[in-house]
Amino acid sequence: DTEVTQTPKHLVMGMTNKKSLKCEQHMGHRAMYWYKQKAKKPPELMFVYSYEKLSINESVPSRFSPECPNSSLLNLHLHALQPEDSALYLCASSRLGGRGPSGANVLTFGAGSRLTVL
Amino acid sequence: TQLLEQSPQFLSIQEGENLTVYCNSSSVFSSLQWYRQEPGEGPVLLVTVVTGGEVKKLKRLTFQFGDARKDSSLHITAAQPGDTGLYLCAGGYNFNKFYFGSGTKLNVKP
C-alpha cells in the first residue's frame, strides 16, 4: 500500500463552523505533513509530525489545530476560519531519518482536500 | 520570500518541442525532488537527486543536480500533451523539512 488517503475531498464551511480534515497512510512512515496550496501557487509547509509529535509549526494561525492520534493518522482541526483560508490542503508522509530506496527521503502526497470558507 | 526559484513560471509549447525548467537557490540541499501536479490532485514524485552533479533520466525527462547542490534542471525532449501540468522542485534541508519552488506551469499543445 503506497497511498496517502485524505478525506473529505471537498469541504465547504462557514466562518463559525468547526470541521476536521483527515489523512491516513499505511506505509509505516513516521513523519507526516500538512501543506496548504492556493490556486496557481506551490504548496506551503504548515506542520510536520515526527513520531507522532509536532516537530515543525511554520507559524500557522491557531485556528488550524493539527493532531496525530497514531502513526497512521493525521488530522487538521479547523475553527473560525476566514475566506482567505480557502485552499487545497495536502497531507504527505515520509520516512524519518536515513535514506529511502531512492537514496533520499521523499514525500508521498494525498490527493488533497479542497476547502472553501464562506 | 521564496527559498527556491523556478523559471520559467509559465511555458506553452507545441508537441514535439524540447524545454528546460530551472530550479535555483542560494541554499545547499541534502536532496532535491521534482514533482508533477495535475489540477485538483496532489504532487506526484518524478525523481530524487542527492549527489552534486548527478544526472538522472526518466524516459524523455532528464534531471540534473548542480555540483554545489544549490540548483537543478529538468529537460523534456519531444514534449507531449500528456506532459502538461505543474512542475515543482522541492529542496530538503534536513530529513523532514521540504520546501517547494515557485512552480512551472507547462502546457503542451497538440
Side-chain angles (χ1 to χ4, degrees):
Chain A
D1 188 354
T2 57
E3 284 190 348
V4 175
T5 304
Q6 289 189 243
T7 56
K9 196 162 177 67
H10 299 276
L11 178 63
V12 179
M13 60 186 291
M15 289 190 284
T16 58
N17 292 158
K18 283 185 181 181
K19 297 286 185 182
S20 297
L21 305 180
K22 297 185 183 300
C23 175
E24 188 170 2
Q25 58 89 14
H26 295 289
M27 294 178 281
H29 290 170
R30 299 306 295 274
M32 296 187 77
Y33 309 73
W34 282 114
Y35 281 83
K36 172 183 176 181
Q37 187 176 26
K38 301 283 277 184
K40 301 180 182 178
K41 296 290 186 183
E44 297 175 17
L45 183 62
M46 299 175 73
F47 303 105
V48 182
Y49 272 82
S50 305
Y51 291 114
E52 297 87 68
K53 294 193 186 308
L54 183 65
S55 58
I56 297 174
N57 177 344
E58 291 286 292
S59 303
V60 179
S62 60
R63 57 186 185 269
F64 295 92
S65 176
E67 179 197 19
C68 191
N70 60 54
S71 60
S72 299
L73 295 174
L74 184 67
N75 299 321
L76 186 62
H77 303 298
L78 314 170
H79 175 52
L81 295 194
Q82 304 296 312
E84 58 264 31
D85 296 322
S86 298
L88 181 68
Y89 287 85
L90 293 162
C91 173
S93 69
S94 75
R95 293 161 57 97
L96 247 183
R99 291 184 169 178
S102 62
N105 203 8
V106 297
L107 298 170
T108 301
F109 281 91
S113 292
R114 172 74 60 190
L115 174 67
T116 302
V117 182
L118 301 175
Chain B
T1 301
Q2 196 74 40
L3 293 171
L4 283 157
E5 294 293 337
Q6 281 184 239
S7 61
Q9 279 190 290
F10 301 96
L11 197 52
S12 184
I13 61 173
Q14 291 294 138
E15 182 176 2
E17 292 184 17
N18 300 334
L19 66 117
T20 302
V21 177
Y22 300 93
C23 176
N24 296 295
S25 175
S26 57
S27 301
V28 176
F29 299 106
S30 57
S31 66
L32 195 139
Q33 290 93 44
W34 284 93
Y35 293 82
R36 187 172 78 199
Q37 185 177 21
E38 308 273 350
E41 298 293 327
V44 175
L45 179 70
L46 295 174
V47 78
T48 300
V49 285
V50 297
T51 305
E54 183 175 3
V55 176
K56 280 192 175 179
K57 292 194 174 185
L58 184 66
K59 296 183 181 177
R60 294 176 293 100
L61 278 59
T62 302
F63 304 85
Q64 186 161 7
F65 202 13
D67 291 341
R69 292 188 291 139
K70 293 183 180 181
D71 56 87
S72 180
S73 64
L74 157 61
H75 182 80
I76 301 180
T77 303
Q80 298 177 1
D83 295 327
T84 293
L86 177 67
Y87 288 81
L88 296 158
C89 64
Y93 286 94
N94 57 41
F95 291 115
N96 299 107
K97 202 165 187 179
F98 298 88
Y99 290 101
F100 281 84
S102 43
T104 296
K105 190 167 176 56
L106 172 64
N107 180 36
V108 182
K109 295 175 282 189

